[in-house]
Amino acid sequence: MLRLPTAGTPYRPAEVSRAILGLFESKTVIQVFQEQLKKYLTVKNLALVNSGTTACYLLLEFFKKIRADSLRDEVILPAYTAPSLLLPIRAANLRPVLVDIDLQTFNLAIDQVSDAITSRTLAIMPVHMFGLPCEVEPLIRLTEAEDIFLFEDAASSLGTRLHGKMSGTVAPFGFYSLNRGKNISTLAGGIITWRDTHYNEIMDKLVKALSPVGFVAQKIITLKIIGLSLAVKPLFYTLLTPLIAKYKYTTLHTHFESFAYTPTQAALGKALWRSANVLTMRRIINGKILLNIFGNRADFIVPLVKPEWEVAFNQFPLIVKDLSLRAEIQRRLLAAGIETSLLYERPLHHIFPELNPTGSEPFPQATYLAEHLLLIPTHAQVRQSHLAIIQDIIDSLC
Ligand SMILES: Cc1ncc(COP(=O)(O)O)c(C=O)c1O
């Protein structure tokens, strides 16, 4: 039986050929892709870098450069999110300050943010986890008054809209990831956006200071793109599961490298973006169907999805109250060829005990989410037949 991977952007042969030809293109193709992304996101200012982590790091470095008060060195973020986010915060010599999440939205508990703000708060980073939008508007009001930078981590939510606006473009700053598990991927990559054109010069300097990628390294990137185009296809994925497993992130990242985005990735992105709306729509529709399957059942908590949101689910998150039921769902779905994931099984303050010196449980909702989460794939290769299998399994178990 064919296995469906948990995540992955399917590439067409024509798109892979573009990436190969991109090896021989100049940096202009990056500018062309940037213009395409600006239109897609409806933003004026944007830059491409090698990863979402670098995008986050450069934004933090930028905030440091223009902060009014050099004593401000704290960054507020949710207690349940990607552990790798601590790397750019620490690399910028800043201190993470955690806030609990909300079990209704699965995102930052907005009403608890003001308690975490101090005279040392430099920035607040709401994260749109799993593609689910975090309501940023109330934070805009809070930060404007306090002279604090607000930047959205939209790494997993490319294509999600809240109140008609793209996630990542509501606050004055934002960033996205184009890494391989993300909503649309160019193997790796990061997008930085900022609203105020006055900042262009400083941002340009920060981005231009990144080392360019040499021809040999670009060739390796192109080979990886070819490999990825095969690996996400259920046939190859099934045949090569043990080999592909080696390339999955299973351990915590301990460092990151920053360098420039490459023409080969931009050439791929440029071709891929023609299907961006279709790829996004599939995530939105699959997410809605999963919401119907899992919603209104006592065994699960599904996230709130407001009618005015369009949620491009990166994966569909749900809380399974009973852990033995969660294990059984995972087992049955896998037997039917559908892989699921538990993502980060611990919140940040458990992974990094130094963030919780008292040893008590300061962020219980984040811990509960981490320990009960199950993620169902929503990407463009999830078909009606997969969703029907999921429905049958859940009907038989619950
Ligand atoms: C929420 C979130 N932010 C940031 C990142 C970092 O992005 P990248 O992998 O492109 O460095 C990730 C990646 O897993 C993420 O999930």
Side-chain angles (χ1 to χ4, degrees):
M1 184 197 306
L2 292 187
R3 252 200 205 198
L4 183 72
T6 49
T9 305
Y11 297 150
R12 296 201 195 99
E15 289 152 357
V16 178
S17 318
R18 284 275 144 213
I20 298 168
L21 292 173
L23 265 177
F24 308 99
E25 294 210 40
S26 70
K27 277 202 261 173
T28 318
V29 66
I30 300 178
Q31 276 152 16
V32 175
F33 183 37
Q34 284 184 173
E35 291 309 312
Q36 205 174 354
L37 287 173
K38 279 183 195 170
K39 281 203 191 114
Y40 176 77
L41 295 168
T42 51
V43 295
K44 278 208 233 101
N45 308 306
L46 170 152
L48 281 160
V49 295
N50 71 314
S51 70
T53 307
T54 296
C56 177
Y57 174 68
L58 290 193
L59 278 169
L60 294 171
E61 284 295 325
F62 170 81
F63 299 150
K64 276 165 56 185
K65 269 188 196 303
I66 63 164
R67 70 187 153 187
D69 175 355
S70 64
L71 287 179
R72 287 188 185 266
D73 64 352
E74 292 178 350
V75 180
I76 295 178
L77 73 160
Y80 179 84
T81 188
S84 62
L85 280 171
L86 288 210
L87 297 176
I89 296 177
R90 288 182 167 154
N93 275 323
L94 298 169
R95 291 196 319 124
V97 172
L98 304 181
V99 168
D100 209 353
I101 59 113
D102 180 334
L103 282 183
Q104 237 201 333
T105 62
F106 291 17
N107 270 319
L108 186 69
I110 300 290
D111 55 341
Q112 294 183 31
V113 172
S114 54
D115 292 342
I117 293 178
T118 69
S119 58
R120 296 187 69 163
T121 307
L122 173 71
I124 303 177
M125 175 169 58
V127 184
H128 304 287
M129 281 302 289
F130 320 110
L132 282 166
C134 177
E135 285 285 7
V136 180
E137 291 286 345
L139 296 177
I140 296 181
R141 289 190 288 278
L142 202 66
T143 47
E144 266 170 1
E146 299 271 353
D147 195 19
I148 294 168
F149 297 104
L150 180 64
F151 70 121
E152 292 170 66
D153 175 341
S156 310
S157 67
L158 191 71
T160 287
R161 282 174 196 272
L162 58 166
H163 312 292
K165 284 191 184 167
M166 284 285 190
S167 66
T169 70
V170 182
F173 304 91
F175 70 93
Y176 304 85
S177 166
L178 300 173
N179 206 349
R180 51 187 195 251
K182 297 298 186 259
N183 280 6
I184 305 182
S185 166
T186 58
L187 182 75
I191 308 171
I192 311 174
T193 62
W194 63 98
R195 184 161 320 132
D196 193 336
T197 305
H198 287 112
Y199 297 143
N200 287 14
E201 210 181 309
I202 314 178
M203 269 316 177
D204 271 4
K205 264 196 192 149
L206 283 168
V207 174
K208 284 201 176 119
L210 296 173
S211 334
V213 174
F215 189 68
V216 175
Q218 265 209 75
K219 263 191 176 167
I220 295 171
I221 289 176
T222 313
L223 286 175
K224 285 187 179 169
I225 289 172
I226 297 170
L228 185 65
S229 74
L230 297 175
V232 297
K233 289 199 175 17
L235 177 63
F236 288 95
Y237 188 73
T238 311
L239 294 174
L240 302 174
T241 297
L243 180 72
I244 293 167
K246 283 193 195 158
Y247 290 91
K248 288 194 176 175
Y249 303 125
T250 48
T251 50
L252 276 187
H253 294 215
T254 52
H255 72 285
F256 70 101
E257 284 175 57
S258 293
F259 45 87
Y261 195 67
T262 64
T264 182
Q265 289 167 294
L268 170 66
K270 205 166 86 113
L272 204 53
W273 236 264
R274 293 193 198 115
S275 330
N277 289 334
V278 176
L279 292 171
T280 303
M281 195 42 77
R282 299 287 278 277
R283 290 184 181 277
I284 295 173
I285 293 171
N286 288 340
K288 278 190 183 158
I289 296 172
L290 289 167
L291 201 57
N292 276 333
I293 296 177
F294 290 99
N296 292 320
R297 290 191 196 245
D299 292 309
F300 309 119
I301 301 174
V302 293
L304 170 79
V305 174
K306 293 190 184 169
E308 63 271 27
W309 292 350
E310 276 178 35
V311 184
F313 282 97
N314 181 246
Q315 296 184 66
F316 182 81
L318 75 141
I319 288 172
V320 187
K321 295 178 188 167
D322 177 346
L323 294 183
S324 54
L325 174 63
R326 183 176 73 165
E328 184 59 14
I329 295 172
Q330 271 208 296
R331 199 188 61 72
R332 293 262 199 115
L333 287 177
L334 188 60
I338 300 167
E339 270 192 16
T340 53
S341 145
L342 305 181
L343 205 65
Y344 319 117
E345 293 178 61
R346 290 181 299 154
L348 296 188
H349 60 294
H350 287 196
I351 300 174
F352 306 100
E354 67 276 19
L355 297 180
N356 182 22
T358 63
S360 60
E361 181 45 271
F363 312 114
Q365 319 247 62
T367 303
Y368 187 78
L369 178 72
E371 290 175 353
H372 292 80
L373 187 66
L374 179 64
L375 291 161
I376 314 282
T378 52
H379 54 77
Q381 297 190 97
V382 177
R383 305 280 167 197
Q384 200 60 48
S385 55
H386 297 115
L387 297 165
I389 293 172
I390 298 173
Q391 174 89 62
D392 284 351
I393 291 175
I394 298 307
D395 283 346
S396 71
L397 283 173
C398 305

